[in-house]
Amino acid sequence: MIQLHQISKIYNQGKTNAFQALHKIDLKIADGELVAIIGTSGAGKSTLLHILACIDSYESGEYYIDDTLVKNCSEKKLAQIRNKKIGMVMQDFALVDDFSALQNVMLPLDFSKSKVSEKKEKCLKALQAVGMEKFAHHQSNKLSGGQKQRVAIARAIVNEPSIILADEPTGALDSKTSSEIMELFKSLNDAGRTVIIVTHDMKIAQQCKRVIRIEDGKIVD
């Protein structure tokens, strides 16, 4: 369960260029939901996603992941939450170009004490789940956009997180590939994961089970 109560975010607080990106956001997302957060550029949706991902802080309010109050967590605890509970998928894939698909998927396992052979087995399983096991040893910059996004999703799920957060995951893809990626997110959701997709595309949002609209830093629908 994700719960946000009266979350506000202000950039450059106390300065002349202070900007309030989020205004007292109240939001609950149950385990196993498939949710779209939709809004125009600058509406605050990416800021909200970064707070959900424990990447960005907030000025006031309370954010709970399950029973954990995020603002009470140490940096070490936040890193553990990001590594174990949350998988992130970005629009630009955020892959290391000169790494293979397998090496990219292994990155979240850098701090794992498991044997290298066990890590590789886990990564190959994640690549298989997204239909990319045949490309495990292909260099990332040789892959198509859709293939790169599949590798990025494999990296997001390799630690078997309960929550997948995706920031405009189809923004750099054509319509056919976007549909394939959305089917992949739906299958991850069907397997029990909570999936939250930030998008400006209503066609993508309508494929989710719930749509949250944000405007000017406020949830309006």
Side-chain angles (χ1 to χ4, degrees):
M1 171 73 81
I2 287 172
Q3 298 182 75
L4 287 83
H5 178 64
Q6 298 284 286
I7 292 290
S8 292
K9 173 65 181 179
I10 303 171
Y11 290 105
N12 301 319
Q13 189 173 23
K15 298 181 180 179
T16 55
N17 62 341
F19 171 71
Q20 186 156 0
L22 296 178
H23 300 259
K24 297 184 177 180
I25 296 290
D26 287 318
L27 179 63
K28 287 185 180 181
I29 298 174
D31 294 340
E33 281 202 79
L34 173 57
V35 177
I37 298 174
I38 192 164
T40 57
S41 179
K45 58 188 188 298
S46 290
T47 297
L48 177 57
L49 191 76
H50 290 162
I51 288 173
L52 291 173
C54 299
I55 294 171
D56 209 348
S57 59
Y58 49 94
E59 271 62 51
S60 61
E62 295 179 338
Y63 170 30
Y64 286 89
I65 297 181
D66 297 328
D67 296 322
T68 302
L69 180 60
V70 169
K71 68 181 175 184
N72 286 348
C73 293
S74 64
E75 281 301 319
K76 182 179 180 180
K77 178 64 175 176
L78 288 175
Q80 289 173 344
I81 291 172
R82 287 192 294 265
N83 192 249
K84 297 295 183 182
K85 287 201 172 191
I86 298 170
M88 278 287 290
V89 181
M90 311 299 289
Q91 177 180 350
D92 63 358
F93 322 125
L95 301 179
V96 180
D97 284 343
D98 56 356
F99 277 20
S100 68
L102 180 65
Q103 288 172 317
N104 271 286
V105 176
M106 284 186 72
L107 288 173
L109 303 179
D110 275 352
F111 300 106
S112 170
K113 296 178 181 178
S114 301
K115 296 178 181 177
V116 172
S117 59
E118 293 173 351
K119 291 181 183 180
K120 285 185 177 179
E121 184 179 351
K122 200 171 184 179
C123 292
L124 289 169
K125 183 179 177 182
L127 285 167
Q128 184 178 19
V130 300
M132 287 294 293
E133 68 274 20
K134 293 180 181 179
F135 297 87
H137 300 291
H138 286 231
Q139 197 166 308
S140 296
N141 59 10
K142 305 295 184 185
L143 301 175
S144 70
Q147 290 170 335
K148 288 179 180 179
Q149 195 60 293
R150 287 177 180 272
V151 172
I153 293 170
R155 182 183 57 195
I157 65 173
V158 71
N159 272 326
E160 301 179 4
S162 56
I163 302 166
I164 303 293
L165 302 176
D167 192 359
E168 300 282 5
T170 61
L173 306 175
D174 60 49
S175 57
K176 180 179 180 295
T177 308
S178 295
S179 295
E180 293 171 354
I181 293 300
M182 279 306 298
E183 289 303 315
L184 184 50
F185 281 124
K186 290 176 190 177
S187 70
L188 292 170
N189 177 245
D190 289 341
R193 289 185 174 91
T194 303
V195 180
I196 303 169
I197 299 173
V198 158
T199 183
H200 65 275
D201 188 341
M202 183 53 79
K203 291 179 181 178
I204 295 297
Q206 287 173 339
Q207 297 181 60
C208 298
K209 297 173 184 175
R210 180 156 68 113
V211 179
I212 297 163
R213 185 182 296 275
I214 186 168
E215 292 179 7
D216 300 321
K218 300 175 183 178
I219 292 176
V220 297
D221 188 20

